Amino acid sequence: MCDLMENPEASEGDTALPALIAAQNDRFRATWGADFTVPGRIVLTPGVVALGYEVLVQIMVAIQSFADFSEANDPSGQHDFGVFSVTFRGEPVKLYWKIDLYDPAYAFATDDAADVTKTRRLLTVLLPSEY
C-alpha cells in the first residue's frame, strides 16, 4: 500500500510518483473529501447544480465508485479525470470530473504533488459544455 503522507523520496522522474498521486486522488475522490488525511475541496459548476438534488446524489455515487481508468483516459496514471453519465429526466447526461493539485492556499499549483501537507485537491464536476 502507498504511504499517503509525506514522501520525501518521491521525485518528478520517479515512476512511483504517479501511483502515489493516483492513490491519494482515489482516496480523496472515493471518500468525497471526507478523509482529512488527503485535504481538498469539491466544486460543482452552475450547470451541474441546476440538475437538482436527486441527480447530485447520482453524481456523487458515480464519482466515488469511478474505476474506468485506462491509458486512453488516464495517460499520466494519476487518476485525475473521469467521464461518466447520470440520468436526468429519463435521459443520460454526460459529465466530467477533474482533480487539480494546488498549494495549501489554493493560489498556485503545488510544488510537491506527492506531499499531502503541501497539496490541496480541487475536484471539479462539470458538464462538457462548461469546459
Side-chain angles (χ1 to χ4, degrees), residues 13-126:
D14 189 344
T15 57
L17 184 62
L20 176 63
I21 294 169
Q24 293 170 350
N25 285 343
D26 287 346
R27 191 162 179 178
F28 178 76
R29 183 180 44 76
T31 64
W32 200 246
D35 181 341
F36 300 114
T37 66
V38 184
R41 297 177 181 166
I42 297 171
V43 176
L44 309 175
T45 61
V48 172
V49 172
L51 295 172
Y53 176 77
E54 291 177 7
V55 177
L56 294 178
V57 172
Q58 290 180 56
I59 289 168
M60 183 178 77
V61 170
I63 292 172
Q64 286 179 302
S65 61
F66 189 89
D68 188 24
F69 296 104
S70 67
E71 181 64 33
N73 68 10
D74 187 35
S76 69
Q78 295 184 0
H79 294 187
D80 59 359
F81 178 79
V83 178
F84 65 103
S85 295
V86 294
T87 303
F88 177 64
R89 297 183 181 161
E91 298 293 325
V93 176
K94 183 177 178 179
L95 294 122
Y96 299 155
W97 63 264
K98 174 74 174 110
I99 297 176
D100 293 299
L101 306 177
Y102 288 92
D103 68 357
Y106 294 93
F108 302 102
T110 183
D111 63 359
D112 188 355
D115 185 345
V116 293
T117 66
K118 296 180 180 178
T119 303
R120 299 297 178 268
R121 282 159 172 75
L122 182 68
L123 188 154
T124 305
V125 184
L126 62 153

